[in-house]
Amino acid sequence: MTAPPDIGEHPAPIDCAESTDTGYTSGNPFEITVVHIDGRPVEKSTANAYWVMREAAAAAGVDMHINSGFRTMAEQEYLYGCYVNCNCNSCNLAAKPGYSNHQSGHALDINTATPGVYNWLAANGGAYGFTETVPGEPWHWEWWGGGPGGGVCDISLPPTGYLDTVDCDNVYGWAQDPDAPDASIDVHVYFNAPAGDPNGIGVPTTANLHREDLCMALGSCAHGYKLGVPLSLRDNTTRPVHVYGIDIEAQKNPQLSQSPLSFTCAPPALTGVRRHIPHPDVLASWKFDVFWDLVTVDEPTLLALPDWIDIEPVPQLIRADDGTPEVYLKDGGVRRHVPSPEVADNWDFDLGAVVTVPAAEVYAIPLGTPVRDKPVLVKGPGPEVYQLDDLQCPPDSLARMPGRRHHRRRPDRRGPDHRRHLRRFDGQRRVRSQQRRLVRQQWQRRLGRQRHRHRRQ
């Protein structure tokens, strides 16, 4: 075999201007990104790995450069013809077009005929990810990954960060991409197993929380992340948590320092009444998520929670048309205040779909307890799923509570019980009082007219 000609005094050693071409692996085409080193086209990642190796060789006094890098299909067809017909290129061995690693971007022909180059490569090339792969061709070296990393052409550094801690409520930490140090990056949190394992459940979040302790250390502050722990995993089982920083340039997504950590948490304290979710369609209409919202308990714990009426088939959100901002959930015979946009988000309520209703109709509905901060579902050994809720006590819903009788004592109109009753059902009571007053006035006017006619007769 004859070594490819040394290009001697090579041109500008590096040109990182990118271009695209068609590369080939095992005959299959793909788009390849090419830069130039020593005037030769080289696949970008291979070029960066080679450049680090070249700089190390130069520091040792070895003048290394590239004689051949990436090849197009036309160039490979020419060299293969020379090999088959033995009429050019010194009949050197050449792979079939579409199957050369020069076309895949991984192969370089290096000036090993120059004194000192081959010996340095043989001793050090492996440390930079380069190996001699073709017997009888000491100039042919290939890079398939590895080495110290770095380079010169638009190098993408992987994200860094920490999984600081995991407790029974949240996963905490920080992440930053050094290539965009002020940007907030995505973080992927995997419960139960690492990414790629079918047992792992991945949840995306964003490292965009302000953390004062990061301002000096990183040069910017908004790199913290915090993700809640799903209720379904609070089951006294040890659960691993793996956290990955997502590279802005879609390169490597490394696992953050101190990941994985694990947690073992008991189910949360359960209070209130349970409301049956009678059908999967109802579960879907409320947008409940059994991974995040469902607690599984034993049967005694489930039965200790009082059973109440079924959950409404769909959530209904209303607002009065008098300009007040309050949003209410219509729930049976009551209206329940949605305290904040955060609570609405926890419940997946669409605040853009709130129905505006005449104020008199809204305020005529008795006011119940506010909507809980976030949904909690519970199930026992059986298939039934319930929502945990606060008991609502308007007269009509009390009468519908299964398995119980309710006797409402008529309030003393002269005593404090009546005043408490009025405060509780103020809107409804006022409407009814006005209606009764109007009826009395109508009867009084009618009776007065009858008496007047009787006196005239």
Side-chain angles (χ1 to χ4, degrees), residues 326-391:
E326 286 78 10
V327 173
Y328 300 95
L329 173 70
K330 283 187 67 176
D331 191 0
V334 300
R335 57 185 166 97
R336 304 177 61 183
H337 185 218
V338 180
S340 67
E342 291 74 23
V343 171
D345 185 60
N346 290 341
W347 284 81
D348 259 332
F349 288 159
D350 182 3
L351 295 180
V354 177
V355 177
T356 300
V357 177
E361 293 183 23
V362 173
Y363 300 133
I365 304 172
L367 184 64
T369 65
V371 174
R372 288 189 168 193
D373 287 345
K374 57 185 178 181
V376 176
L377 309 181
V378 63
K379 73 179 292 291
E384 291 80 9
V385 177
Y386 303 86
Q387 180 219 344
L388 280 186
D389 207 350
D390 299 316
L391 181 66

Side-chain angles (χ1 to χ4, degrees), residues 186-228:
D186 289 338
V187 169
H188 289 183
V189 179
Y190 279 77
F191 296 96
N192 293 338
D197 188 312
N199 295 314
I201 302 173
V203 180
T205 188
T206 304
N208 60 359
L209 302 179
H210 181 95
R211 280 185 42 171
E212 198 66 32
D213 60 317
L214 300 178
C215 298
M216 291 295 293
L218 301 181
S220 55
C221 311
H223 301 289
Y225 63 86
K226 175 182 176 182
L227 182 70

